PDB file of all heavy atoms in Angstrom:
ATOM      1  N   PHE Z  22      18.763 -14.730 -42.109  1.00 91.00           N
ATOM      2  CA  PHE Z  22      17.659 -15.676 -41.972  1.00 91.00           C
ATOM      3  C   PHE Z  22      16.896 -15.486 -40.649  1.00 91.00           C
ATOM      4  O   PHE Z  22      15.704 -15.539 -40.714  1.00 91.00           O
ATOM      5  CB  PHE Z  22      18.210 -17.070 -42.004  1.00 91.00           C
ATOM      6  CG  PHE Z  22      17.203 -18.176 -42.125  1.00 91.00           C
ATOM      7  CD1 PHE Z  22      16.355 -18.234 -43.178  1.00 91.00           C
ATOM      8  CD2 PHE Z  22      16.964 -19.084 -41.068  1.00 91.00           C
ATOM      9  CE1 PHE Z  22      15.411 -19.223 -43.275  1.00 91.00           C
ATOM     10  CE2 PHE Z  22      16.075 -20.039 -41.169  1.00 91.00           C
ATOM     11  CZ  PHE Z  22      15.182 -20.109 -42.212  1.00 91.00           C
ATOM     12  N   THR Z  23      17.610 -15.287 -39.520  1.00 92.00           N
ATOM     13  CA  THR Z  23      16.930 -15.064 -38.268  1.00 92.00           C
ATOM     14  C   THR Z  23      16.133 -13.755 -38.316  1.00 92.00           C
ATOM     15  O   THR Z  23      15.027 -13.613 -37.785  1.00 92.00           O
ATOM     16  CB  THR Z  23      17.867 -15.005 -37.085  1.00 92.00           C
ATOM     17  OG1 THR Z  23      18.960 -14.057 -37.391  1.00 92.00           O
ATOM     18  CG2 THR Z  23      18.516 -16.371 -36.946  1.00 92.00           C
ATOM     19  N   ASN Z  24      16.663 -12.752 -38.961  1.00 92.00           N
ATOM     20  CA  ASN Z  24      15.946 -11.428 -39.119  1.00 92.00           C
ATOM     21  C   ASN Z  24      14.730 -11.655 -39.933  1.00 92.00           C
ATOM     22  O   ASN Z  24      13.632 -11.082 -39.707  1.00 92.00           O
ATOM     23  CB  ASN Z  24      16.761 -10.365 -39.796  1.00 92.00           C
ATOM     24  CG  ASN Z  24      17.865  -9.851 -38.858  1.00 92.00           C
ATOM     25  OD1 ASN Z  24      17.667  -9.942 -37.568  1.00 92.00           O
ATOM     26  ND2 ASN Z  24      18.914  -9.385 -39.415  1.00 92.00           N
ATOM     27  N   PHE Z  25      14.806 -12.480 -40.981  1.00 92.00           N
ATOM     28  CA  PHE Z  25      13.628 -12.870 -41.846  1.00 92.00           C
ATOM     29  C   PHE Z  25      12.553 -13.498 -41.020  1.00 92.00           C
ATOM     30  O   PHE Z  25      11.368 -13.177 -41.219  1.00 92.00           O
ATOM     31  CB  PHE Z  25      14.113 -13.787 -42.985  1.00 92.00           C
ATOM     32  CG  PHE Z  25      13.060 -14.417 -43.764  1.00 92.00           C
ATOM     33  CD1 PHE Z  25      12.313 -13.737 -44.704  1.00 92.00           C
ATOM     34  CD2 PHE Z  25      12.686 -15.707 -43.557  1.00 92.00           C
ATOM     35  CE1 PHE Z  25      11.256 -14.271 -45.399  1.00 92.00           C
ATOM     36  CE2 PHE Z  25      11.652 -16.403 -44.208  1.00 92.00           C
ATOM     37  CZ  PHE Z  25      10.993 -15.629 -45.193  1.00 92.00           C
ATOM     38  N   LEU Z  26      12.996 -14.493 -40.157  1.00 92.00           N
ATOM     39  CA  LEU Z  26      11.989 -15.120 -39.288  1.00 92.00           C
ATOM     40  C   LEU Z  26      11.246 -14.133 -38.391  1.00 92.00           C
ATOM     41  O   LEU Z  26      10.019 -14.194 -38.190  1.00 92.00           O
ATOM     42  CB  LEU Z  26      12.707 -16.151 -38.426  1.00 92.00           C
ATOM     43  CG  LEU Z  26      13.336 -17.345 -39.175  1.00 92.00           C
ATOM     44  CD1 LEU Z  26      14.151 -18.216 -38.194  1.00 92.00           C
ATOM     45  CD2 LEU Z  26      12.302 -18.141 -39.955  1.00 92.00           C
ATOM     46  N   ARG Z  27      12.017 -13.220 -37.788  1.00 91.00           N
ATOM     47  CA  ARG Z  27      11.456 -12.180 -36.878  1.00 91.00           C
ATOM     48  C   ARG Z  27      10.491 -11.219 -37.629  1.00 91.00           C
ATOM     49  O   ARG Z  27       9.370 -10.892 -37.208  1.00 91.00           O
ATOM     50  CB  ARG Z  27      12.494 -11.460 -36.210  1.00 91.00           C
ATOM     51  CG  ARG Z  27      13.274 -12.276 -35.155  1.00 91.00           C
ATOM     52  CD  ARG Z  27      14.122 -11.405 -34.297  1.00 91.00           C
ATOM     53  NE  ARG Z  27      14.841 -12.242 -33.277  1.00 91.00           N
ATOM     54  CZ  ARG Z  27      16.079 -12.714 -33.384  1.00 91.00           C
ATOM     55  NH1 ARG Z  27      16.740 -12.481 -34.520  1.00 91.00           N
ATOM     56  NH2 ARG Z  27      16.619 -13.464 -32.454  1.00 91.00           N
ATOM     57  N   GLU Z  28      10.968 -10.677 -38.806  1.00 90.00           N
ATOM     58  CA  GLU Z  28      10.258  -9.671 -39.467  1.00 90.00           C
ATOM     59  C   GLU Z  28       8.897 -10.230 -40.087  1.00 90.00           C
ATOM     60  O   GLU Z  28       8.019  -9.493 -40.201  1.00 90.00           O
ATOM     61  CB  GLU Z  28      11.124  -9.087 -40.647  1.00 90.00           C
ATOM     62  CG  GLU Z  28      12.298  -8.282 -40.256  1.00 90.00           C
ATOM     63  CD  GLU Z  28      13.267  -7.973 -41.381  1.00 90.00           C
ATOM     64  OE1 GLU Z  28      12.997  -8.486 -42.492  1.00 90.00           O
ATOM     65  OE2 GLU Z  28      14.247  -7.306 -41.109  1.00 90.00           O
ATOM     66  N   ASN Z  29       8.855 -11.560 -40.371  1.00 91.00           N
ATOM     67  CA  ASN Z  29       7.674 -12.020 -40.978  1.00 91.00           C
ATOM     68  C   ASN Z  29       6.883 -12.832 -39.906  1.00 91.00           C
ATOM     69  O   ASN Z  29       5.878 -13.453 -40.228  1.00 91.00           O
ATOM     70  CB  ASN Z  29       8.034 -12.971 -42.098  1.00 91.00           C
ATOM     71  CG  ASN Z  29       8.625 -12.324 -43.209  1.00 91.00           C
ATOM     72  OD1 ASN Z  29       7.881 -11.791 -44.089  1.00 91.00           O
ATOM     73  ND2 ASN Z  29       9.958 -12.212 -43.435  1.00 91.00           N
ATOM     74  N   ASN Z  30       7.241 -12.742 -38.588  1.00 90.00           N
ATOM     75  CA  ASN Z  30       6.494 -13.375 -37.528  1.00 90.00           C
ATOM     76  C   ASN Z  30       6.207 -14.862 -37.819  1.00 90.00           C
ATOM     77  O   ASN Z  30       5.124 -15.305 -37.579  1.00 90.00           O
ATOM     78  CB  ASN Z  30       5.127 -12.589 -37.334  1.00 90.00           C
ATOM     79  CG  ASN Z  30       5.294 -11.209 -36.807  1.00 90.00           C
ATOM     80  OD1 ASN Z  30       6.113 -10.987 -36.093  1.00 90.00           O
ATOM     81  ND2 ASN Z  30       4.507 -10.330 -37.435  1.00 90.00           N
TER      82      ASN Z  30
END
Side-chain angles (χ1 to χ4, degrees):
F22 187 66
T23 54
N24 287 335
F25 168 76
L26 296 175
R27 290 189 177 94
E28 289 171 359
N29 292 277
N30 295 318

